[in-house]
Amino acid sequence: RRHTRYWRDWSSDVCSSDLSLMTHTHAPPPPSPLQSRLSAARARTAPFLHRTPLRPSRRLGELAGRPVFLKLDNLQKTGSFKVRGFMHKVLTHSEASDTGLLTFSSGNAAQGLAYAAQRAGIRAVVVMTPGANPAKVAATRSYGAEVVFADSLEHIAATAQALATREDRKSTRLN
């Protein structure tokens, strides 16, 4: 009761213009620099990527004690989230169109770079290990990348570096 009386006393001192200010919502704050960069990247890559769904996971939510959502990037072009980063990098990398692109991977990154380079009309070279999954090799080639095999997993980075600096195959290395 005392609290109610205080409210009535306080509210009688407030003029109507103050109440209207208190009841109107304010404009949201301007986006942070990071939010602006993320929005720009999303807009830049949107024509080349699927919009993949978010789905709630009841079981993980129970384990975490709060709602958990899964981003189904396995439905993305190339079957992985890796293509998002490579697509953005290819579209914003000015040297790439002159030199081509190179990475080393025996999996999803190989396909991500190959797809992004193909969509941008840029040459791509991917260094893989001899034991790479044949389906991954075929998929990477199907996106237009040249596949080069390193002698072993231990030599994959060195092989990529050597290719990136050879004059006849000079490439910008992306990892």
Side-chain angles (χ1 to χ4, degrees):
R1 190 165 203 189
R2 178 182 253 181
H3 184 70
T4 305
R5 191 171 133 185
Y6 173 76
W7 170 253
R8 284 185 189 150
D9 292 343
W10 175 82
S11 65
S12 64
D13 294 336
V14 176
C15 70
S16 61
S17 63
D18 290 335
L19 284 175
S20 68
L21 286 174
M22 291 172 16
T23 58
H24 284 86
T25 58
H26 295 288
S32 71
L34 176 61
Q35 288 170 321
S36 297
R37 289 195 336 255
L38 289 172
S39 292
R42 182 182 299 121
R44 190 178 297 114
T45 60
F48 305 101
L49 302 173
H50 290 310
R51 186 174 176 155
T52 57
L54 268 178
R55 295 286 188 251
S57 172
R58 185 183 53 80
R59 179 71 179 128
L60 291 176
E62 288 170 359
L63 290 171
R66 60 178 32 171
V68 172
F69 293 85
L70 302 175
K71 182 71 169 158
L72 301 185
D73 268 345
N74 60 314
L75 303 176
Q76 187 54 264
K77 295 176 189 285
T78 76
S80 161
F81 70 92
K82 302 268 184 167
V83 70
R84 291 181 187 280
F86 277 115
M87 194 77 242
H88 179 261
K89 193 71 167 171
V90 166
L91 293 173
T92 59
H93 207 284
S94 60
E95 298 171 26
S97 59
D98 297 334
T99 62
L101 295 167
L102 179 136
T103 196
F104 59 92
S105 167
S106 293
N108 295 332
Q111 293 170 67
L113 176 69
Y115 172 82
Q118 178 189 56
R119 293 305 305 250
I122 298 170
R123 180 178 66 89
V125 178
V126 177
V127 179
M128 295 180 137
T129 59
N133 181 323
K136 299 276 186 182
V137 175
T140 301
R141 285 183 172 145
S142 77
Y143 291 122
E146 176 187 353
V147 174
V148 175
F149 291 99
D151 294 334
S152 66
L153 179 60
E154 293 77 25
H155 295 111
I156 194 168
T159 303
Q161 187 59 40
L163 282 174
T165 55
R166 269 184 37 191
E167 276 306 312
D168 62 327
R169 298 175 76 141
K170 201 165 204 154
S171 299
T172 300
R173 186 171 146 188
L174 295 179
N175 291 357

